[in-house]
Amino acid sequence: MSVLPLVFTSGWASGINAYAVVLLLGLFGITGLSDEVPASLERTDVLIAAGVLFLCEAVADKIPYVDSVWDSVHTVIRPIAGAVVGALLAGQSGSLPELAAGAVGGTTALLSHVVKAGTRMAFNTSPEPFSNITLSLAEDLGVAGIVTFAIFNPQAAAVIAAVLLLLGLVILGFLAHRIRRFLRRRAQRREERRLAAAGARVPGPPG
């Protein structure tokens, strides 16, 4: 069970930025700072792909509405990444069944992704972009900090991740009204675009 705290923490972080988790773990492994990282995460092609996708997310995550579209696409990707990373970590240590570790990592990633996506929807009800940029930077720094901390002190990092996850779910409950307003606005914009496209296809009266 010794790897469980690292699995939990990496799952929480994957729900926020899965590419950063893969990139950081791979770098910690390849530089020899951690023996817990499986060789599959240290591969050059994996690190390059994670780095490129991390840069894409770093840009998309700071643009209002684009960030919510990005989150929608990653509703499946982040939990799967959390599950895969958890299973790989468990397989590397041999102290926890891989299927159980995958379930823990995937579930934790899904919950933290829901918090992240829901919070972004609430912030997108505000027209200014600065709150999105600030929140995105805080998420990036938080993921980097807690994954780094988890490498050297996994138990304490898991406690911090659990507290942050619980606080996020509570805050998400308070932001539910703003999230519903965001969803209504998005549905209204889609309907307006649909009506505009339909109107453009209707031929005018003969001259």
Side-chain angles (χ1 to χ4, degrees):
M1 297 294 289
S2 61
V3 78
L4 184 59
L6 183 57
V7 170
F8 181 87
T9 304
S10 64
W12 174 84
S14 295
I16 298 173
N17 193 326
Y19 306 123
V21 173
V22 173
L23 181 61
L24 283 169
L25 289 177
L27 291 175
F28 282 128
I30 203 170
T31 55
L33 291 175
S34 174
D35 296 328
E36 298 287 348
V37 180
S40 54
L41 295 181
E42 300 176 6
R43 290 170 41 181
T44 302
D45 56 339
V46 171
L47 292 174
I48 292 175
V52 171
L53 290 169
F54 169 74
L55 292 176
C56 292
E57 176 148 339
V59 174
D61 213 33
K62 295 172 178 60
I63 303 174
Y65 298 107
V66 174
D67 58 350
S68 289
V69 174
W70 184 269
D71 286 337
S72 297
V73 173
H74 285 74
T75 299
V76 175
I77 296 174
R78 287 170 182 158
I80 290 177
V84 170
V85 170
L88 289 174
L89 290 171
Q92 174 75 4
S93 69
S95 60
L96 187 70
E98 295 179 31
L99 185 60
V104 171
T107 301
T108 309
L110 177 60
L111 290 174
S112 62
H113 165 76
V114 169
V115 171
K116 172 187 171 74
T119 304
R120 287 309 182 88
M121 288 182 184
F123 272 77
N124 280 334
T125 61
S126 174
E128 47 78 29
F130 302 107
S131 57
N132 296 71
I133 295 173
T134 302
L135 185 59
S136 177
L137 288 173
E139 290 170 350
D140 293 341
L141 292 174
V143 166
I146 200 165
V147 170
T148 301
F149 188 43
I151 290 295
F152 303 101
N153 199 331
Q155 288 80 12
V159 172
I160 295 173
V163 171
L164 291 174
L165 180 59
L166 181 60
L167 286 176
L169 291 171
V170 171
I171 292 172
L172 190 62
F174 285 110
L175 295 176
H177 175 71
R178 296 185 67 176
I179 295 171
R180 287 194 294 269
R181 184 168 61 180
F182 170 83
L183 294 174
R184 285 196 300 268
R185 287 182 178 178
R186 188 167 66 174
Q188 184 179 4
R189 284 194 300 270
R190 287 177 178 174
E191 183 64 15
E192 289 172 352
R193 288 196 296 267
R194 188 187 68 80
L195 293 175
R201 291 195 296 267
V202 175

